[in-house]
Amino acid sequence: MKQTSQKFILCCCIAGVLGFAGCAKENQAIQPKNSASQSTNSNEQPAMAEANVFAMDTFMKIVAYGEQAEQAVQVAQQEIQRLDALLSTGKIESEIGQINQNAGGHCSQDTAYLLQRSLQLYQDTQGAFNIMLYPLMEAWGFVNGEYNVPSQETLDQLLPLTEIAQLQYDAENNQLQFMKQGMKIDFGGIAKGYTSARIMEIFENFDVASGVVNLGGNVQVKGKKPDGTDWKIGIQNPQKPEEYLGVLEISDQAVITSGGYERFFEQDGQQYHHILNPATGKTARSGLSSVTIVSPDGTLADGLSTSLFVMGKEAAEQYWRNHSQEFQAILVTDDGAIYVTEGIENCFEPEQKEIHIIKQ
């Protein structure tokens, strides 16, 4: 991952009805609610605080500007650790670990929220987003690193454990129950986006008008940079991960990318990556090598980056046309072609000259 903090180019490598006016490169700077928290002298920078955190199996960075930046960063760190302890599938003592071990249980407010968002995404994407794939991820070795290509017989045995219909949720009492032994829930496809969204709320509470979180490549920004310009987010090239595909200039958005280059292994000359097709239990081969989602809703962006990857280009384009007020996207096909939705056409500066614009 490339990261040049001095130039505020952040690499995105993983990675209500609101518009995308924040993409305009000449927008004025967003001022804090308390005018005293940012000097009117353009030569004077507001107070800055930053922290590096390791959680959710990745390195994270938090940067905030404002009079209460230090407090905001401290609370953000605490929130990351709290959510990691709550949502980690790999920790038996976590709430999700206990639910999986006991085939159900009581859901906290965070878990209930993520469950409801996940079930809605499952419905909206016609099953492309599925939080019940953990038994399959275990079989493939993506959980413990002991990679293996499961037999079709094994997949046939595990696929019934991923059926959302076998998950019963009592929203009134926040009770979850699995109807088949061996079912497991995993919020890995949405938890980091939810975490970045929570940090944006913390920034808001502490009057932080300018800030950024990079959760292992899942990037979300608050406002603009202190100098009034947009944040620059580098999008990783799936064909050459050490290079940029291009740079997005944004404010008040999350930028999250999913791609098969992130985690994969090779066996018998064939490459297998960690993004599974819920319908088959196998590596998703949709013709896309990466999908980047841009949205003010970090939770949505995280869930959709995987979902649209599974769907493939044509279905992903149509999904965007039906939800274009909620997010924008950059799709990269296996042959390296770049497709950008028209809402961020003027915000994206590609390394290569030719891009295709997806229109309504």
Side-chain angles (χ1 to χ4, degrees):
M1 183 178 72
K2 297 181 180 179
Q3 181 172 319
T4 310
S5 58
Q6 291 181 343
K7 294 182 180 180
F8 293 99
I9 298 179
L10 304 169
C11 182
C12 182
C13 62
I14 302 292
V17 179
L18 295 171
F20 284 80
C23 291
K25 297 180 181 178
E26 297 182 356
N27 281 355
Q28 295 183 349
I30 299 174
Q31 297 296 324
K33 289 187 293 185
N34 180 355
S35 60
S37 65
Q38 183 166 333
S39 172
T40 56
N41 184 345
S42 61
N43 295 322
E44 185 176 337
Q45 290 287 323
M48 187 269 277
E50 62 180 347
N52 295 298
V53 183
F54 183 81
M56 300 181 182
D57 294 324
T58 191
F59 289 98
M60 306 180 175
K61 188 177 185 67
I62 312 165
V63 181
Y65 294 87
E67 285 189 347
Q68 301 181 75
E70 189 69 40
Q71 299 97 308
V73 168
Q74 290 177 2
V75 173
Q77 289 182 82
Q78 295 168 2
E79 181 68 356
I80 288 172
Q81 299 293 352
R82 183 186 74 84
L83 292 174
D84 187 25
L86 185 76
L87 303 173
S88 175
T89 309
K91 298 178 181 179
I92 296 178
E93 69 275 12
S94 74
E95 181 172 303
I96 299 303
Q98 287 295 299
I99 287 174
N100 286 341
Q101 190 173 41
N102 299 316
H106 180 76
C107 297
S108 65
Q109 182 176 351
D110 297 281
T111 298
Y113 175 79
L114 282 175
L115 182 60
Q116 292 170 14
R117 290 294 301 268
S118 298
L119 294 177
Q120 187 63 54
L121 268 174
Y122 173 85
Q123 180 178 339
D124 291 346
T125 63
Q126 298 183 331
F129 185 80
N130 188 329
I131 55 174
M132 305 302 296
L133 301 184
Y134 199 71
L136 289 168
M137 295 291 284
E138 289 180 313
W140 281 92
F142 288 115
V143 173
N144 58 14
E146 297 179 5
Y147 302 120
N148 165 69
V149 179
S151 66
Q152 187 60 52
E153 180 182 3
T154 298
L155 295 178
D156 290 340
Q157 292 173 348
L158 294 177
L159 280 169
L161 303 182
T162 70
E163 297 174 359
I164 294 292
Q166 300 301 319
L167 184 157
Q168 290 193 356
Y169 175 58
D170 179 356
E172 184 175 348
N173 297 303
N174 281 341
Q175 285 292 133
L176 183 64
Q177 183 179 3
F178 301 153
M179 303 309 294
K180 288 187 177 181
Q181 185 177 2
M183 294 177 67
K184 293 181 180 180
I185 197 170
D186 177 19
F187 288 125
I190 200 170
K192 288 178 187 174
Y194 174 64
T195 302
S196 68
R198 286 286 301 122
I199 294 174
M200 294 300 108
E201 294 177 12
I202 291 169
F203 282 177
E204 184 72 18
N205 291 339
F206 284 91
D207 291 331
V208 171
S210 178
V212 60
V213 294
N214 186 343
L215 308 184
N218 286 29
V219 176
Q220 188 158 357
V221 303
K222 178 76 167 63
K224 293 177 178 288
K225 287 162 36 180
D227 64 5
T229 61
D230 287 325
W231 298 91
K232 294 183 178 181
I233 312 296
I235 308 299
Q236 199 165 10
N237 186 334
Q239 271 77 35
K240 298 179 180 179
E242 71 280 1
E243 298 180 2
Y244 287 140
L245 185 75
V247 175
L248 271 168
E249 296 191 27
I250 60 163
S251 61
D252 288 315
Q253 305 286 336
V255 181
I256 299 179
T257 301
S258 288
Y261 60 90
E262 297 166 340
R263 264 194 299 163
F264 64 89
F265 68 94
E266 293 185 4
Q267 183 171 314
D268 299 327
Q270 181 72 46
Q271 188 177 103
Y272 302 90
H273 59 70
H274 73 293
I275 303 177
L276 304 182
N277 184 336
T280 65
K282 299 178 181 179
T283 285
R285 303 196 187 281
S286 64
L288 293 174
S289 57
S290 76
V291 171
T292 297
I293 302 296
V294 182
S295 173
D297 184 344
T299 308
L300 178 69
D302 203 2
L304 285 182
S305 65
T306 300
S307 304
L308 269 61
F309 185 99
V310 171
M311 289 181 189
K313 175 180 170 293
E314 292 183 2
E317 288 182 2
Q318 189 55 52
Y319 188 89
W320 169 75
R321 291 187 180 100
N322 295 336
H323 301 83
S324 61
Q325 293 300 310
E326 300 174 41
F327 75 97
Q328 301 294 322
I330 300 171
L331 313 177
V332 183
T333 58
D334 288 342
D335 61 4
I338 303 172
Y339 295 81
V340 179
T341 57
E342 61 183 346
I344 52 173
E345 176 183 359
N346 296 325
C347 310
F348 181 62
E349 186 67 34
E351 287 295 319
Q352 68 184 54
K353 295 299 181 182
E354 184 180 4
I355 62 172
H356 307 276
I357 305 303
I358 304 171
K359 298 184 179 294
Q360 280 285 1

